PDB file of all heavy atoms in Angstrom:
ATOM      1  N   ALA F   1       0.854  -1.184   0.000  1.00  0.00           N
ATOM      2  CA  ALA F   1       0.000   0.000   0.000  1.00  0.00           C
ATOM      3  C   ALA F   1       0.891   1.236   0.000  1.00  0.00           C
ATOM      4  O   ALA F   1       2.082   1.172   0.349  1.00  0.00           O
ATOM      5  CB  ALA F   1      -0.920   0.015   1.223  1.00  0.00           C
ATOM      6  N   ASP F   2       0.316   2.356  -0.386  1.00  0.00           N
ATOM      7  CA  ASP F   2       1.031   3.633  -0.370  1.00  0.00           C
ATOM      8  C   ASP F   2       1.637   3.870   1.014  1.00  0.00           C
ATOM      9  O   ASP F   2       0.988   3.622   2.040  1.00  0.00           O
ATOM     10  CB  ASP F   2       0.038   4.751  -0.721  1.00  0.00           C
ATOM     11  CG  ASP F   2       0.688   6.116  -0.743  1.00  0.00           C
ATOM     12  OD1 ASP F   2       0.863   6.698   0.353  1.00  0.00           O
ATOM     13  OD2 ASP F   2       1.001   6.623  -1.831  1.00  0.00           O
ATOM     14  N   GLU F   3       2.870   4.345   1.047  1.00  0.00           N
ATOM     15  CA  GLU F   3       3.563   4.499   2.331  1.00  0.00           C
ATOM     16  C   GLU F   3       2.855   5.469   3.263  1.00  0.00           C
ATOM     17  O   GLU F   3       2.867   5.287   4.496  1.00  0.00           O
ATOM     18  CB  GLU F   3       5.005   4.966   2.109  1.00  0.00           C
ATOM     19  CG  GLU F   3       5.139   6.312   1.414  1.00  0.00           C
ATOM     20  CD  GLU F   3       6.598   6.736   1.275  1.00  0.00           C
ATOM     21  OE1 GLU F   3       7.401   6.406   2.166  1.00  0.00           O
ATOM     22  OE2 GLU F   3       6.921   7.408   0.260  1.00  0.00           O
ATOM     23  N   HIS F   4       2.187   6.485   2.718  1.00  0.00           N
ATOM     24  CA  HIS F   4       1.474   7.439   3.548  1.00  0.00           C
ATOM     25  C   HIS F   4       0.239   6.796   4.180  1.00  0.00           C
ATOM     26  O   HIS F   4      -0.108   7.080   5.334  1.00  0.00           O
ATOM     27  CB  HIS F   4       1.080   8.667   2.726  1.00  0.00           C
ATOM     28  CG  HIS F   4       2.253   9.402   2.159  1.00  0.00           C
ATOM     29  ND1 HIS F   4       2.692   9.203   0.875  1.00  0.00           N
ATOM     30  CD2 HIS F   4       3.099  10.322   2.720  1.00  0.00           C
ATOM     31  CE1 HIS F   4       3.745   9.976   0.640  1.00  0.00           C
ATOM     32  NE2 HIS F   4       4.014  10.652   1.749  1.00  0.00           N
ATOM     33  N   ILE F   5      -0.416   5.921   3.429  1.00  0.00           N
ATOM     34  CA  ILE F   5      -1.572   5.193   3.968  1.00  0.00           C
ATOM     35  C   ILE F   5      -1.118   4.235   5.057  1.00  0.00           C
ATOM     36  O   ILE F   5      -1.727   4.157   6.137  1.00  0.00           O
ATOM     37  CB  ILE F   5      -2.314   4.454   2.840  1.00  0.00           C
ATOM     38  CG1 ILE F   5      -3.056   5.470   1.959  1.00  0.00           C
ATOM     39  CG2 ILE F   5      -3.283   3.411   3.396  1.00  0.00           C
ATOM     40  CD1 ILE F   5      -3.725   4.886   0.754  1.00  0.00           C
ATOM     41  N   ARG F   6      -0.036   3.511   4.811  1.00  0.00           N
ATOM     42  CA  ARG F   6       0.467   2.588   5.821  1.00  0.00           C
ATOM     43  C   ARG F   6       0.856   3.334   7.097  1.00  0.00           C
ATOM     44  O   ARG F   6       0.642   2.841   8.212  1.00  0.00           O
ATOM     45  CB  ARG F   6       1.649   1.793   5.265  1.00  0.00           C
ATOM     46  CG  ARG F   6       1.217   0.705   4.294  1.00  0.00           C
ATOM     47  CD  ARG F   6       2.349  -0.230   3.910  1.00  0.00           C
ATOM     48  NE  ARG F   6       3.228   0.360   2.908  1.00  0.00           N
ATOM     49  CZ  ARG F   6       4.477   0.722   3.122  1.00  0.00           C
ATOM     50  NH1 ARG F   6       5.022   0.550   4.316  1.00  0.00           N
ATOM     51  NH2 ARG F   6       5.208   1.240   2.155  1.00  0.00           N
ATOM     52  N   ALA F   7       1.396   4.530   6.937  1.00  0.00           N
ATOM     53  CA  ALA F   7       1.797   5.323   8.103  1.00  0.00           C
ATOM     54  C   ALA F   7       0.580   5.739   8.933  1.00  0.00           C
ATOM     55  O   ALA F   7       0.621   5.689  10.175  1.00  0.00           O
ATOM     56  CB  ALA F   7       2.578   6.552   7.655  1.00  0.00           C
ATOM     57  N   VAL F   8      -0.491   6.166   8.276  1.00  0.00           N
ATOM     58  CA  VAL F   8      -1.709   6.582   8.985  1.00  0.00           C
ATOM     59  C   VAL F   8      -2.293   5.396   9.756  1.00  0.00           C
ATOM     60  O   VAL F   8      -2.665   5.515  10.928  1.00  0.00           O
ATOM     61  CB  VAL F   8      -2.752   7.153   8.002  1.00  0.00           C
ATOM     62  CG1 VAL F   8      -4.088   7.387   8.702  1.00  0.00           C
ATOM     63  CG2 VAL F   8      -2.253   8.457   7.392  1.00  0.00           C
ATOM     64  N   VAL F   9      -2.374   4.241   9.091  1.00  0.00           N
ATOM     65  CA  VAL F   9      -2.925   3.046   9.722  1.00  0.00           C
ATOM     66  C   VAL F   9      -2.041   2.601  10.888  1.00  0.00           C
ATOM     67  O   VAL F   9      -2.537   2.276  11.983  1.00  0.00           O
ATOM     68  CB  VAL F   9      -3.087   1.919   8.682  1.00  0.00           C
ATOM     69  CG1 VAL F   9      -3.351   0.576   9.354  1.00  0.00           C
ATOM     70  CG2 VAL F   9      -4.209   2.270   7.709  1.00  0.00           C
ATOM     71  N   SER F  10      -0.729   2.609  10.677  1.00  0.00           N
ATOM     72  CA  SER F  10       0.201   2.196  11.730  1.00  0.00           C
ATOM     73  C   SER F  10       0.095   3.105  12.948  1.00  0.00           C
ATOM     74  O   SER F  10       0.095   2.632  14.099  1.00  0.00           O
ATOM     75  CB  SER F  10       1.629   2.193  11.183  1.00  0.00           C
ATOM     76  OG  SER F  10       2.551   1.823  12.184  1.00  0.00           O
ATOM     77  N   GLN F  11      -0.003   4.398  12.714  1.00  0.00           N
ATOM     78  CA  GLN F  11      -0.111   5.340  13.823  1.00  0.00           C
ATOM     79  C   GLN F  11      -1.401   5.118  14.612  1.00  0.00           C
ATOM     80  O   GLN F  11      -1.402   5.124  15.849  1.00  0.00           O
ATOM     81  CB  GLN F  11      -0.062   6.779  13.299  1.00  0.00           C
ATOM     82  CG  GLN F  11      -0.117   7.827  14.412  1.00  0.00           C
ATOM     83  CD  GLN F  11      -0.210   9.237  13.871  1.00  0.00           C
ATOM     84  OE1 GLN F  11      -1.035   9.525  13.002  1.00  0.00           O
ATOM     85  NE2 GLN F  11       0.640  10.121  14.371  1.00  0.00           N
ATOM     86  N   ALA F  12      -2.512   4.898  13.897  1.00  0.00           N
ATOM     87  CA  ALA F  12      -3.787   4.674  14.576  1.00  0.00           C
ATOM     88  C   ALA F  12      -3.741   3.399  15.415  1.00  0.00           C
ATOM     89  O   ALA F  12      -4.203   3.370  16.568  1.00  0.00           O
ATOM     90  CB  ALA F  12      -4.918   4.595  13.555  1.00  0.00           C
ATOM     91  N   LEU F  13      -3.169   2.345  14.870  1.00  0.00           N
ATOM     92  CA  LEU F  13      -3.080   1.097  15.620  1.00  0.00           C
ATOM     93  C   LEU F  13      -2.183   1.260  16.841  1.00  0.00           C
ATOM     94  O   LEU F  13      -2.473   0.735  17.927  1.00  0.00           O
ATOM     95  CB  LEU F  13      -2.565  -0.030  14.718  1.00  0.00           C
ATOM     96  CG  LEU F  13      -3.533  -0.500  13.633  1.00  0.00           C
ATOM     97  CD1 LEU F  13      -2.846  -1.468  12.681  1.00  0.00           C
ATOM     98  CD2 LEU F  13      -4.770  -1.153  14.245  1.00  0.00           C
ATOM     99  N   GLY F  14      -1.105   2.010  16.685  1.00  0.00           N
ATOM    100  CA  GLY F  14      -0.230   2.261  17.813  1.00  0.00           C
ATOM    101  C   GLY F  14      -0.920   3.031  18.922  1.00  0.00           C
ATOM    102  O   GLY F  14      -0.759   2.726  20.113  1.00  0.00           O
ATOM    103  N   ARG F  15      -1.704   4.027  18.546  1.00  0.00           N
ATOM    104  CA  ARG F  15      -2.422   4.846  19.531  1.00  0.00           C
ATOM    105  C   ARG F  15      -3.579   4.083  20.167  1.00  0.00           C
ATOM    106  O   ARG F  15      -4.089   4.505  21.216  1.00  0.00           O
ATOM    107  CB  ARG F  15      -2.954   6.115  18.866  1.00  0.00           C
ATOM    108  CG  ARG F  15      -1.882   7.142  18.489  1.00  0.00           C
ATOM    109  CD  ARG F  15      -2.485   8.298  17.727  1.00  0.00           C
ATOM    110  NE  ARG F  15      -3.602   8.902  18.461  1.00  0.00           N
ATOM    111  CZ  ARG F  15      -4.641   9.498  17.880  1.00  0.00           C
ATOM    112  NH1 ARG F  15      -4.725   9.548  16.553  1.00  0.00           N
ATOM    113  NH2 ARG F  15      -5.606  10.015  18.610  1.00  0.00           N
ATOM    114  N   SER F  16      -4.008   2.971  19.556  1.00  0.00           N
ATOM    115  CA  SER F  16      -5.155   2.227  20.079  1.00  0.00           C
ATOM    116  C   SER F  16      -4.829   1.507  21.393  1.00  0.00           C
ATOM    117  O   SER F  16      -5.740   1.113  22.123  1.00  0.00           O
ATOM    118  CB  SER F  16      -5.626   1.196  19.061  1.00  0.00           C
ATOM    119  OG  SER F  16      -4.750   0.072  19.020  1.00  0.00           O
ATOM    120  N   ARG F  17      -3.559   1.322  21.656  1.00  0.00           N
ATOM    121  CA  ARG F  17      -3.078   0.659  22.877  1.00  0.00           C
ATOM    122  C   ARG F  17      -3.463  -0.820  22.946  1.00  0.00           C
ATOM    123  O   ARG F  17      -3.327  -1.442  23.995  1.00  0.00           O
ATOM    124  CB  ARG F  17      -3.533   1.383  24.147  1.00  0.00           C
ATOM    125  CG  ARG F  17      -3.122   2.848  24.204  1.00  0.00           C
ATOM    126  CD  ARG F  17      -3.296   3.435  25.598  1.00  0.00           C
ATOM    127  NE  ARG F  17      -4.627   3.265  26.147  1.00  0.00           N
ATOM    128  CZ  ARG F  17      -5.677   4.046  25.850  1.00  0.00           C
ATOM    129  NH1 ARG F  17      -5.525   5.049  24.974  1.00  0.00           N
ATOM    130  NH2 ARG F  17      -6.859   3.836  26.409  1.00  0.00           N
ATOM    131  N   PHE F  18      -3.927  -1.400  21.859  1.00  0.00           N
ATOM    132  CA  PHE F  18      -4.082  -2.849  21.809  1.00  0.00           C
ATOM    133  C   PHE F  18      -2.712  -3.474  21.575  1.00  0.00           C
ATOM    134  O   PHE F  18      -1.837  -2.859  20.946  1.00  0.00           O
ATOM    135  CB  PHE F  18      -5.021  -3.267  20.668  1.00  0.00           C
ATOM    136  CG  PHE F  18      -6.482  -3.029  20.944  1.00  0.00           C
ATOM    137  CD1 PHE F  18      -7.178  -2.025  20.284  1.00  0.00           C
ATOM    138  CD2 PHE F  18      -7.163  -3.806  21.869  1.00  0.00           C
ATOM    139  CE1 PHE F  18      -8.528  -1.805  20.536  1.00  0.00           C
ATOM    140  CE2 PHE F  18      -8.516  -3.602  22.122  1.00  0.00           C
ATOM    141  CZ  PHE F  18      -9.195  -2.593  21.460  1.00  0.00           C
ATOM    142  N   ALA F  19      -2.508  -4.671  22.084  1.00  0.00           N
ATOM    143  CA  ALA F  19      -1.283  -5.398  21.781  1.00  0.00           C
ATOM    144  C   ALA F  19      -1.258  -5.726  20.295  1.00  0.00           C
ATOM    145  O   ALA F  19      -2.248  -6.221  19.744  1.00  0.00           O
ATOM    146  CB  ALA F  19      -1.215  -6.676  22.615  1.00  0.00           C
ATOM    147  N   LEU F  20      -0.157  -5.445  19.645  1.00  0.00           N
ATOM    148  CA  LEU F  20      -0.043  -5.642  18.201  1.00  0.00           C
ATOM    149  C   LEU F  20       0.931  -6.775  17.903  1.00  0.00           C
ATOM    150  O   LEU F  20       2.011  -6.847  18.482  1.00  0.00           O
ATOM    151  CB  LEU F  20       0.421  -4.352  17.513  1.00  0.00           C
ATOM    152  CG  LEU F  20      -0.442  -3.105  17.762  1.00  0.00           C
ATOM    153  CD1 LEU F  20       0.174  -1.895  17.070  1.00  0.00           C
ATOM    154  CD2 LEU F  20      -1.877  -3.327  17.293  1.00  0.00           C
ATOM    155  N   VAL F  21       0.529  -7.650  17.003  1.00  0.00           N
ATOM    156  CA  VAL F  21       1.333  -8.809  16.623  1.00  0.00           C
ATOM    157  C   VAL F  21       1.461  -8.817  15.112  1.00  0.00           C
ATOM    158  O   VAL F  21       0.469  -8.648  14.394  1.00  0.00           O
ATOM    159  CB  VAL F  21       0.670 -10.124  17.102  1.00  0.00           C
ATOM    160  CG1 VAL F  21       1.486 -11.330  16.654  1.00  0.00           C
ATOM    161  CG2 VAL F  21       0.474 -10.118  18.612  1.00  0.00           C
ATOM    162  N   GLU F  22       2.657  -9.008  14.602  1.00  0.00           N
ATOM    163  CA  GLU F  22       2.837  -9.089  13.153  1.00  0.00           C
ATOM    164  C   GLU F  22       2.220 -10.383  12.631  1.00  0.00           C
ATOM    165  O   GLU F  22       2.442 -11.453  13.189  1.00  0.00           O
ATOM    166  CB  GLU F  22       4.319  -9.036  12.792  1.00  0.00           C
ATOM    167  CG  GLU F  22       4.972  -7.677  13.042  1.00  0.00           C
ATOM    168  CD  GLU F  22       6.407  -7.647  12.548  1.00  0.00           C
ATOM    169  OE1 GLU F  22       6.851  -8.639  11.923  1.00  0.00           O
ATOM    170  OE2 GLU F  22       7.082  -6.631  12.785  1.00  0.00           O
ATOM    171  N   GLN F  23       1.434 -10.246  11.557  1.00  0.00           N
ATOM    172  CA  GLN F  23       0.820 -11.402  10.918  1.00  0.00           C
ATOM    173  C   GLN F  23       1.055 -11.314   9.408  1.00  0.00           C
ATOM    174  O   GLN F  23       1.368 -10.236   8.878  1.00  0.00           O
ATOM    175  CB  GLN F  23      -0.692 -11.421  11.190  1.00  0.00           C
ATOM    176  CG  GLN F  23      -1.063 -11.744  12.630  1.00  0.00           C
ATOM    177  CD  GLN F  23      -1.394 -13.225  12.808  1.00  0.00           C
ATOM    178  OE1 GLN F  23      -0.778 -14.088  12.178  1.00  0.00           O
ATOM    179  NE2 GLN F  23      -2.353 -13.507  13.664  1.00  0.00           N
ATOM    180  N   SER F  24       0.882 -12.423   8.735  1.00  0.00           N
ATOM    181  CA  SER F  24       0.999 -12.424   7.275  1.00  0.00           C
ATOM    182  C   SER F  24      -0.091 -13.306   6.680  1.00  0.00           C
ATOM    183  O   SER F  24      -0.511 -14.296   7.287  1.00  0.00           O
ATOM    184  CB  SER F  24       2.380 -12.918   6.829  1.00  0.00           C
ATOM    185  OG  SER F  24       2.559 -14.268   7.201  1.00  0.00           O
ATOM    186  N   LEU F  25      -0.554 -12.906   5.506  1.00  0.00           N
ATOM    187  CA  LEU F  25      -1.531 -13.691   4.743  1.00  0.00           C
ATOM    188  C   LEU F  25      -0.984 -13.838   3.324  1.00  0.00           C
ATOM    189  O   LEU F  25      -1.392 -13.119   2.403  1.00  0.00           O
ATOM    190  CB  LEU F  25      -2.900 -12.993   4.733  1.00  0.00           C
ATOM    191  CG  LEU F  25      -3.647 -12.905   6.071  1.00  0.00           C
ATOM    192  CD1 LEU F  25      -4.915 -12.064   5.911  1.00  0.00           C
ATOM    193  CD2 LEU F  25      -4.002 -14.299   6.595  1.00  0.00           C
ATOM    194  N   PRO F  26      -0.050 -14.763   3.128  1.00  0.00           N
ATOM    195  CA  PRO F  26       0.597 -14.882   1.811  1.00  0.00           C
ATOM    196  C   PRO F  26      -0.352 -15.262   0.690  1.00  0.00           C
ATOM    197  O   PRO F  26      -0.033 -15.065  -0.482  1.00  0.00           O
ATOM    198  CB  PRO F  26       1.659 -15.969   2.038  1.00  0.00           C
ATOM    199  CG  PRO F  26       1.222 -16.699   3.276  1.00  0.00           C
ATOM    200  CD  PRO F  26       0.514 -15.694   4.113  1.00  0.00           C
ATOM    201  N   GLY F  27      -1.542 -15.778   1.035  1.00  0.00           N
ATOM    202  CA  GLY F  27      -2.483 -16.189  -0.009  1.00  0.00           C
ATOM    203  C   GLY F  27      -3.386 -15.085  -0.509  1.00  0.00           C
ATOM    204  O   GLY F  27      -4.276 -15.343  -1.341  1.00  0.00           O
ATOM    205  N   MET F  28      -3.205 -13.843  -0.025  1.00  0.00           N
ATOM    206  CA  MET F  28      -4.139 -12.775  -0.390  1.00  0.00           C
ATOM    207  C   MET F  28      -4.183 -12.493  -1.882  1.00  0.00           C
ATOM    208  O   MET F  28      -5.243 -12.253  -2.450  1.00  0.00           O
ATOM    209  CB  MET F  28      -3.811 -11.481   0.373  1.00  0.00           C
ATOM    210  CG  MET F  28      -4.509 -11.374   1.707  1.00  0.00           C
ATOM    211  SD  MET F  28      -4.394  -9.731   2.448  1.00  0.00           S
ATOM    212  CE  MET F  28      -5.478  -8.789   1.358  1.00  0.00           C
ATOM    213  N   SER F  29      -3.024 -12.492  -2.532  1.00  0.00           N
ATOM    214  CA  SER F  29      -2.991 -12.174  -3.962  1.00  0.00           C
ATOM    215  C   SER F  29      -3.745 -13.223  -4.771  1.00  0.00           C
ATOM    216  O   SER F  29      -4.547 -12.891  -5.654  1.00  0.00           O
ATOM    217  CB  SER F  29      -1.543 -12.073  -4.440  1.00  0.00           C
ATOM    218  OG  SER F  29      -1.489 -11.793  -5.833  1.00  0.00           O
ATOM    219  N   ALA F  30      -3.520 -14.492  -4.461  1.00  0.00           N
ATOM    220  CA  ALA F  30      -4.242 -15.558  -5.156  1.00  0.00           C
ATOM    221  C   ALA F  30      -5.735 -15.481  -4.853  1.00  0.00           C
ATOM    222  O   ALA F  30      -6.580 -15.713  -5.727  1.00  0.00           O
ATOM    223  CB  ALA F  30      -3.699 -16.924  -4.754  1.00  0.00           C
TER     224      ALA F  30
END
């Protein structure tokens, strides 16, 4: 995604104070 969009989303998730865990969905493109 556009880096500016990713930054907005990342900042909001950070401010949410929920525990954040990196995940991946490699099948999304298919």
Side-chain angles (χ1 to χ4, degrees):
D2 181 279
E3 61 178 327
H4 299 97
I5 288 175
R6 285 189 281 112
V8 171
V9 167
S10 179
Q11 182 186 49
L13 290 172
R15 289 175 54 210
S16 76
R17 304 194 306 279
F18 284 109
L20 304 177
V21 178
E22 291 185 6
Q23 290 264 36
S24 64
L25 293 174
M28 271 192 71
S29 179

